Amino acid sequence: MLTSQSYVVAMLCYSAAGFVSLLLIHRFWLAPLPDVYRRLLTSLLAALLLTPVMPGPEADSLAPALIVALFNAAFVDGWSSARYAVWVLLTSSVACMALAALSLWLIPAKPRVSRAEYASNRPSSGVQPDNFQSTQHRDIS
């Protein structure tokens, strides 16, 4: 069994891993999606990964709700023991999605710029490649 100090360390490690995974998923996997979908999916994943719940009625510690729901459904009593964790997951998912929708209303998404538009709008550095021949200085012989 975990001591209180090791339990806190374990929960902090789990939370940190959840936040890092959310950051990486948002940055790389959800990058091609529009900002609206990125925010909503990231908030849904945050709810699924980071929501804590009591594993059972006699437990005095918290565990990730997704893991509790899966393990209780598979190994304990099926749906009857997993129902509370699933209810907490659904509630937190709806709440996180509502907060993401509110953030879309308060902080509008800025339009994305394609790579071609970004490259054409950047100022030139003034450096020309070695094989560049200007039309004004071309030697016609």
PDB file of all heavy atoms in Angstrom, residues 97-125:
ATOM      1  N   MET A  97     -16.190  20.408 -21.827  1.00  0.00           N
ATOM      2  CA  MET A  97     -16.619  20.840 -23.163  1.00  0.00           C
ATOM      3  C   MET A  97     -17.340  22.184 -23.086  1.00  0.00           C
ATOM      4  O   MET A  97     -17.181  23.028 -23.967  1.00  0.00           O
ATOM      5  CB  MET A  97     -17.528  19.790 -23.799  1.00  0.00           C
ATOM      6  CG  MET A  97     -16.846  18.465 -24.052  1.00  0.00           C
ATOM      7  SD  MET A  97     -15.750  18.482 -25.423  1.00  0.00           S
ATOM      8  CE  MET A  97     -16.896  18.186 -26.732  1.00  0.00           C
ATOM      9  N   ALA A  98     -18.125  22.400 -22.030  1.00  0.00           N
ATOM     10  CA  ALA A  98     -18.799  23.689 -21.856  1.00  0.00           C
ATOM     11  C   ALA A  98     -17.775  24.792 -21.619  1.00  0.00           C
ATOM     12  O   ALA A  98     -17.915  25.905 -22.160  1.00  0.00           O
ATOM     13  CB  ALA A  98     -19.784  23.613 -20.693  1.00  0.00           C
ATOM     14  N   LEU A  99     -16.733  24.511 -20.837  1.00  0.00           N
ATOM     15  CA  LEU A  99     -15.682  25.513 -20.629  1.00  0.00           C
ATOM     16  C   LEU A  99     -14.926  25.799 -21.925  1.00  0.00           C
ATOM     17  O   LEU A  99     -14.559  26.951 -22.192  1.00  0.00           O
ATOM     18  CB  LEU A  99     -14.709  25.037 -19.548  1.00  0.00           C
ATOM     19  CG  LEU A  99     -15.229  25.095 -18.124  1.00  0.00           C
ATOM     20  CD1 LEU A  99     -14.214  24.475 -17.160  1.00  0.00           C
ATOM     21  CD2 LEU A  99     -15.526  26.524 -17.721  1.00  0.00           C
ATOM     22  N   ALA A 100     -14.698  24.778 -22.730  1.00  0.00           N
ATOM     23  CA  ALA A 100     -14.029  24.997 -24.019  1.00  0.00           C
ATOM     24  C   ALA A 100     -14.904  25.832 -24.947  1.00  0.00           C
ATOM     25  O   ALA A 100     -14.418  26.720 -25.643  1.00  0.00           O
ATOM     26  CB  ALA A 100     -13.690  23.662 -24.667  1.00  0.00           C
ATOM     27  N   ALA A 101     -16.194  25.566 -24.949  1.00  0.00           N
ATOM     28  CA  ALA A 101     -17.111  26.367 -25.773  1.00  0.00           C
ATOM     29  C   ALA A 101     -17.154  27.811 -25.283  1.00  0.00           C
ATOM     30  O   ALA A 101     -17.193  28.750 -26.088  1.00  0.00           O
ATOM     31  CB  ALA A 101     -18.500  25.755 -25.755  1.00  0.00           C
ATOM     32  N   LEU A 102     -17.124  27.993 -23.973  1.00  0.00           N
ATOM     33  CA  LEU A 102     -17.091  29.344 -23.412  1.00  0.00           C
ATOM     34  C   LEU A 102     -15.791  30.050 -23.786  1.00  0.00           C
ATOM     35  O   LEU A 102     -15.794  31.242 -24.095  1.00  0.00           O
ATOM     36  CB  LEU A 102     -17.262  29.277 -21.892  1.00  0.00           C
ATOM     37  CG  LEU A 102     -17.326  30.603 -21.158  1.00  0.00           C
ATOM     38  CD1 LEU A 102     -18.582  31.371 -21.571  1.00  0.00           C
ATOM     39  CD2 LEU A 102     -17.318  30.373 -19.661  1.00  0.00           C
ATOM     40  N   SER A 103     -14.685  29.299 -23.786  1.00  0.00           N
ATOM     41  CA  SER A 103     -13.414  29.912 -24.173  1.00  0.00           C
ATOM     42  C   SER A 103     -13.418  30.310 -25.645  1.00  0.00           C
ATOM     43  O   SER A 103     -12.783  31.289 -26.030  1.00  0.00           O
ATOM     44  CB  SER A 103     -12.245  28.966 -23.890  1.00  0.00           C
ATOM     45  OG  SER A 103     -12.150  27.969 -24.870  1.00  0.00           O
ATOM     46  N   LEU A 104     -14.138  29.549 -26.471  1.00  0.00           N
ATOM     47  CA  LEU A 104     -14.246  29.930 -27.886  1.00  0.00           C
ATOM     48  C   LEU A 104     -15.034  31.222 -28.053  1.00  0.00           C
ATOM     49  O   LEU A 104     -14.779  31.999 -28.960  1.00  0.00           O
ATOM     50  CB  LEU A 104     -14.922  28.813 -28.680  1.00  0.00           C
ATOM     51  CG  LEU A 104     -14.068  27.585 -28.945  1.00  0.00           C
ATOM     52  CD1 LEU A 104     -14.924  26.463 -29.474  1.00  0.00           C
ATOM     53  CD2 LEU A 104     -12.961  27.925 -29.914  1.00  0.00           C
ATOM     54  N   TRP A 105     -15.993  31.425 -27.180  1.00  0.00           N
ATOM     55  CA  TRP A 105     -16.794  32.634 -27.250  1.00  0.00           C
ATOM     56  C   TRP A 105     -16.007  33.833 -26.710  1.00  0.00           C
ATOM     57  O   TRP A 105     -16.051  34.922 -27.274  1.00  0.00           O
ATOM     58  CB  TRP A 105     -18.081  32.433 -26.448  1.00  0.00           C
ATOM     59  CG  TRP A 105     -19.004  33.596 -26.490  1.00  0.00           C
ATOM     60  CD1 TRP A 105     -19.581  34.165 -27.573  1.00  0.00           C
ATOM     61  CD2 TRP A 105     -19.472  34.328 -25.370  1.00  0.00           C
ATOM     62  NE1 TRP A 105     -20.377  35.207 -27.201  1.00  0.00           N
ATOM     63  CE2 TRP A 105     -20.325  35.331 -25.843  1.00  0.00           C
ATOM     64  CE3 TRP A 105     -19.257  34.232 -23.999  1.00  0.00           C
ATOM     65  CZ2 TRP A 105     -20.955  36.238 -25.005  1.00  0.00           C
ATOM     66  CZ3 TRP A 105     -19.884  35.125 -23.168  1.00  0.00           C
ATOM     67  CH2 TRP A 105     -20.724  36.114 -23.673  1.00  0.00           C
ATOM     68  N   LEU A 106     -15.246  33.626 -25.628  1.00  0.00           N
ATOM     69  CA  LEU A 106     -14.502  34.725 -25.015  1.00  0.00           C
ATOM     70  C   LEU A 106     -13.185  35.016 -25.735  1.00  0.00           C
ATOM     71  O   LEU A 106     -12.770  36.166 -25.827  1.00  0.00           O
ATOM     72  CB  LEU A 106     -14.217  34.405 -23.544  1.00  0.00           C
ATOM     73  CG  LEU A 106     -15.435  34.339 -22.636  1.00  0.00           C
ATOM     74  CD1 LEU A 106     -15.030  33.890 -21.246  1.00  0.00           C
ATOM     75  CD2 LEU A 106     -16.137  35.681 -22.580  1.00  0.00           C
ATOM     76  N   ILE A 107     -12.521  33.978 -26.205  1.00  0.00           N
ATOM     77  CA  ILE A 107     -11.238  34.126 -26.891  1.00  0.00           C
ATOM     78  C   ILE A 107     -11.399  33.573 -28.291  1.00  0.00           C
ATOM     79  O   ILE A 107     -11.215  32.371 -28.508  1.00  0.00           O
ATOM     80  CB  ILE A 107     -10.116  33.381 -26.141  1.00  0.00           C
ATOM     81  CG1 ILE A 107     -10.066  33.795 -24.679  1.00  0.00           C
ATOM     82  CG2 ILE A 107      -8.772  33.619 -26.815  1.00  0.00           C
ATOM     83  CD1 ILE A 107      -9.212  32.890 -23.821  1.00  0.00           C
ATOM     84  N   PRO A 108     -11.756  34.385 -29.260  1.00  0.00           N
ATOM     85  CA  PRO A 108     -11.980  33.863 -30.619  1.00  0.00           C
ATOM     86  C   PRO A 108     -10.686  33.331 -31.224  1.00  0.00           C
ATOM     87  O   PRO A 108      -9.595  33.805 -30.918  1.00  0.00           O
ATOM     88  CB  PRO A 108     -12.511  35.070 -31.388  1.00  0.00           C
ATOM     89  CG  PRO A 108     -12.194  36.255 -30.575  1.00  0.00           C
ATOM     90  CD  PRO A 108     -11.962  35.818 -29.173  1.00  0.00           C
ATOM     91  N   ALA A 109     -10.846  32.349 -32.064  1.00  0.00           N
ATOM     92  CA  ALA A 109      -9.693  31.738 -32.730  1.00  0.00           C
ATOM     93  C   ALA A 109      -9.190  32.657 -33.825  1.00  0.00           C
ATOM     94  O   ALA A 109      -9.971  33.221 -34.579  1.00  0.00           O
ATOM     95  CB  ALA A 109     -10.079  30.382 -33.305  1.00  0.00           C
ATOM     96  N   LYS A 110      -7.883  32.804 -33.904  1.00  0.00           N
ATOM     97  CA  LYS A 110      -7.327  33.615 -34.985  1.00  0.00           C
ATOM     98  C   LYS A 110      -7.214  32.751 -36.231  1.00  0.00           C
ATOM     99  O   LYS A 110      -6.982  31.546 -36.144  1.00  0.00           O
ATOM    100  CB  LYS A 110      -5.979  34.192 -34.594  1.00  0.00           C
ATOM    101  CG  LYS A 110      -4.942  33.178 -34.201  1.00  0.00           C
ATOM    102  CD  LYS A 110      -3.678  33.869 -33.756  1.00  0.00           C
ATOM    103  CE  LYS A 110      -2.715  32.807 -33.232  1.00  0.00           C
ATOM    104  NZ  LYS A 110      -1.511  33.395 -32.728  1.00  0.00           N
ATOM    105  N   PRO A 111      -7.393  33.343 -37.405  1.00  0.00           N
ATOM    106  CA  PRO A 111      -7.326  32.547 -38.640  1.00  0.00           C
ATOM    107  C   PRO A 111      -5.915  32.014 -38.855  1.00  0.00           C
ATOM    108  O   PRO A 111      -4.932  32.684 -38.558  1.00  0.00           O
ATOM    109  CB  PRO A 111      -7.732  33.524 -39.733  1.00  0.00           C
ATOM    110  CG  PRO A 111      -7.548  34.869 -39.145  1.00  0.00           C
ATOM    111  CD  PRO A 111      -7.681  34.733 -37.660  1.00  0.00           C
ATOM    112  N   ARG A 112      -5.855  30.813 -39.366  1.00  0.00           N
ATOM    113  CA  ARG A 112      -4.561  30.192 -39.631  1.00  0.00           C
ATOM    114  C   ARG A 112      -4.007  30.681 -40.956  1.00  0.00           C
ATOM    115  O   ARG A 112      -4.745  30.956 -41.889  1.00  0.00           O
ATOM    116  CB  ARG A 112      -4.703  28.694 -39.680  1.00  0.00           C
ATOM    117  CG  ARG A 112      -4.956  28.108 -38.346  1.00  0.00           C
ATOM    118  CD  ARG A 112      -4.631  26.681 -38.394  1.00  0.00           C
ATOM    119  NE  ARG A 112      -4.728  26.134 -37.066  1.00  0.00           N
ATOM    120  CZ  ARG A 112      -4.351  24.935 -36.775  1.00  0.00           C
ATOM    121  NH1 ARG A 112      -3.878  24.167 -37.694  1.00  0.00           N
ATOM    122  NH2 ARG A 112      -4.453  24.496 -35.554  1.00  0.00           N
ATOM    123  N   VAL A 113      -2.697  30.743 -41.042  1.00  0.00           N
ATOM    124  CA  VAL A 113      -2.015  31.158 -42.253  1.00  0.00           C
ATOM    125  C   VAL A 113      -1.307  29.930 -42.811  1.00  0.00           C
ATOM    126  O   VAL A 113      -0.611  29.226 -42.090  1.00  0.00           O
ATOM    127  CB  VAL A 113      -0.990  32.272 -41.931  1.00  0.00           C
ATOM    128  CG1 VAL A 113      -0.228  32.676 -43.171  1.00  0.00           C
ATOM    129  CG2 VAL A 113      -1.684  33.458 -41.313  1.00  0.00           C
ATOM    130  N   SER A 114      -1.507  29.673 -44.086  1.00  0.00           N
ATOM    131  CA  SER A 114      -0.842  28.517 -44.705  1.00  0.00           C
ATOM    132  C   SER A 114       0.649  28.810 -44.844  1.00  0.00           C
ATOM    133  O   SER A 114       1.095  29.953 -44.771  1.00  0.00           O
ATOM    134  CB  SER A 114      -1.450  28.218 -46.061  1.00  0.00           C
ATOM    135  OG  SER A 114      -1.111  29.236 -46.973  1.00  0.00           O
ATOM    136  N   ARG A 115       1.409  27.769 -45.073  1.00  0.00           N
ATOM    137  CA  ARG A 115       2.861  27.934 -45.195  1.00  0.00           C
ATOM    138  C   ARG A 115       3.225  28.810 -46.394  1.00  0.00           C
ATOM    139  O   ARG A 115       4.154  29.601 -46.331  1.00  0.00           O
ATOM    140  CB  ARG A 115       3.532  26.586 -45.325  1.00  0.00           C
ATOM    141  CG  ARG A 115       3.568  25.818 -44.051  1.00  0.00           C
ATOM    142  CD  ARG A 115       4.368  24.541 -44.246  1.00  0.00           C
ATOM    143  NE  ARG A 115       4.325  23.770 -43.041  1.00  0.00           N
ATOM    144  CZ  ARG A 115       5.379  23.556 -42.267  1.00  0.00           C
ATOM    145  NH1 ARG A 115       6.538  24.050 -42.603  1.00  0.00           N
ATOM    146  NH2 ARG A 115       5.264  22.833 -41.175  1.00  0.00           N
ATOM    147  N   ALA A 116       2.500  28.680 -47.492  1.00  0.00           N
ATOM    148  CA  ALA A 116       2.811  29.473 -48.684  1.00  0.00           C
ATOM    149  C   ALA A 116       2.549  30.962 -48.414  1.00  0.00           C
ATOM    150  O   ALA A 116       3.350  31.814 -48.791  1.00  0.00           O
ATOM    151  CB  ALA A 116       1.983  28.996 -49.863  1.00  0.00           C
ATOM    152  N   GLU A 117       1.439  31.254 -47.740  1.00  0.00           N
ATOM    153  CA  GLU A 117       1.142  32.647 -47.411  1.00  0.00           C
ATOM    154  C   GLU A 117       2.156  33.192 -46.419  1.00  0.00           C
ATOM    155  O   GLU A 117       2.578  34.341 -46.510  1.00  0.00           O
ATOM    156  CB  GLU A 117      -0.259  32.769 -46.825  1.00  0.00           C
ATOM    157  CG  GLU A 117      -1.363  32.522 -47.808  1.00  0.00           C
ATOM    158  CD  GLU A 117      -2.720  32.519 -47.137  1.00  0.00           C
ATOM    159  OE1 GLU A 117      -2.800  32.918 -45.957  1.00  0.00           O
ATOM    160  OE2 GLU A 117      -3.690  32.118 -47.777  1.00  0.00           O
ATOM    161  N   TYR A 118       2.562  32.361 -45.465  1.00  0.00           N
ATOM    162  CA  TYR A 118       3.538  32.795 -44.475  1.00  0.00           C
ATOM    163  C   TYR A 118       4.868  33.099 -45.137  1.00  0.00           C
ATOM    164  O   TYR A 118       5.499  34.109 -44.853  1.00  0.00           O
ATOM    165  CB  TYR A 118       3.716  31.708 -43.406  1.00  0.00           C
ATOM    166  CG  TYR A 118       4.740  32.049 -42.360  1.00  0.00           C
ATOM    167  CD1 TYR A 118       4.479  32.993 -41.382  1.00  0.00           C
ATOM    168  CD2 TYR A 118       5.990  31.433 -42.356  1.00  0.00           C
ATOM    169  CE1 TYR A 118       5.417  33.311 -40.429  1.00  0.00           C
ATOM    170  CE2 TYR A 118       6.936  31.738 -41.412  1.00  0.00           C
ATOM    171  CZ  TYR A 118       6.647  32.677 -40.451  1.00  0.00           C
ATOM    172  OH  TYR A 118       7.582  32.990 -39.504  1.00  0.00           O
ATOM    173  N   ALA A 119       5.300  32.244 -46.061  1.00  0.00           N
ATOM    174  CA  ALA A 119       6.584  32.451 -46.734  1.00  0.00           C
ATOM    175  C   ALA A 119       6.540  33.673 -47.643  1.00  0.00           C
ATOM    176  O   ALA A 119       7.526  34.399 -47.758  1.00  0.00           O
ATOM    177  CB  ALA A 119       6.961  31.212 -47.542  1.00  0.00           C
ATOM    178  N   SER A 120       5.381  33.927 -48.273  1.00  0.00           N
ATOM    179  CA  SER A 120       5.312  35.073 -49.182  1.00  0.00           C
ATOM    180  C   SER A 120       5.205  36.391 -48.417  1.00  0.00           C
ATOM    181  O   SER A 120       5.583  37.429 -48.943  1.00  0.00           O
ATOM    182  CB  SER A 120       4.123  34.928 -50.127  1.00  0.00           C
ATOM    183  OG  SER A 120       2.912  34.998 -49.399  1.00  0.00           O
ATOM    184  N   ASN A 121       4.721  36.371 -47.200  1.00  0.00           N
ATOM    185  CA  ASN A 121       4.568  37.607 -46.419  1.00  0.00           C
ATOM    186  C   ASN A 121       5.797  37.949 -45.594  1.00  0.00           C
ATOM    187  O   ASN A 121       5.863  39.026 -45.023  1.00  0.00           O
ATOM    188  CB  ASN A 121       3.359  37.497 -45.490  1.00  0.00           C
ATOM    189  CG  ASN A 121       2.066  37.499 -46.262  1.00  0.00           C
ATOM    190  OD1 ASN A 121       2.023  37.975 -47.389  1.00  0.00           O
ATOM    191  ND2 ASN A 121       1.021  36.968 -45.667  1.00  0.00           N
ATOM    192  N   ARG A 122       6.750  37.040 -45.515  1.00  0.00           N
ATOM    193  CA  ARG A 122       7.958  37.321 -44.737  1.00  0.00           C
ATOM    194  C   ARG A 122       8.855  38.287 -45.492  1.00  0.00           C
ATOM    195  O   ARG A 122       9.028  38.176 -46.706  1.00  0.00           O
ATOM    196  CB  ARG A 122       8.720  36.033 -44.456  1.00  0.00           C
ATOM    197  CG  ARG A 122       8.017  35.166 -43.456  1.00  0.00           C
ATOM    198  CD  ARG A 122       8.767  33.909 -43.172  1.00  0.00           C
ATOM    199  NE  ARG A 122      10.127  34.175 -42.775  1.00  0.00           N
ATOM    200  CZ  ARG A 122      11.110  33.296 -42.891  1.00  0.00           C
ATOM    201  NH1 ARG A 122      10.882  32.116 -43.400  1.00  0.00           N
ATOM    202  NH2 ARG A 122      12.328  33.590 -42.495  1.00  0.00           N
ATOM    203  N   PRO A 123       9.468  39.223 -44.792  1.00  0.00           N
ATOM    204  CA  PRO A 123      10.393  40.132 -45.488  1.00  0.00           C
ATOM    205  C   PRO A 123      11.653  39.378 -45.907  1.00  0.00           C
ATOM    206  O   PRO A 123      12.094  38.448 -45.250  1.00  0.00           O
ATOM    207  CB  PRO A 123      10.710  41.196 -44.434  1.00  0.00           C
ATOM    208  CG  PRO A 123      10.391  40.562 -43.132  1.00  0.00           C
ATOM    209  CD  PRO A 123       9.327  39.554 -43.392  1.00  0.00           C
ATOM    210  N   SER A 124      12.206  39.798 -47.022  1.00  0.00           N
ATOM    211  CA  SER A 124      13.399  39.165 -47.556  1.00  0.00           C
ATOM    212  C   SER A 124      14.603  39.531 -46.702  1.00  0.00           C
ATOM    213  O   SER A 124      14.708  40.641 -46.172  1.00  0.00           O
ATOM    214  CB  SER A 124      13.630  39.624 -48.992  1.00  0.00           C
ATOM    215  OG  SER A 124      14.849  39.118 -49.468  1.00  0.00           O
ATOM    216  N   SER A 125      15.546  38.614 -46.595  1.00  0.00           N
ATOM    217  CA  SER A 125      16.755  38.878 -45.811  1.00  0.00           C
ATOM    218  C   SER A 125      17.765  39.684 -46.611  1.00  0.00           C
ATOM    219  O   SER A 125      18.724  40.202 -46.051  1.00  0.00           O
ATOM    220  CB  SER A 125      17.384  37.558 -45.374  1.00  0.00           C
ATOM    221  OG  SER A 125      17.825  36.847 -46.508  1.00  0.00           O
TER     222      SER A 125
END
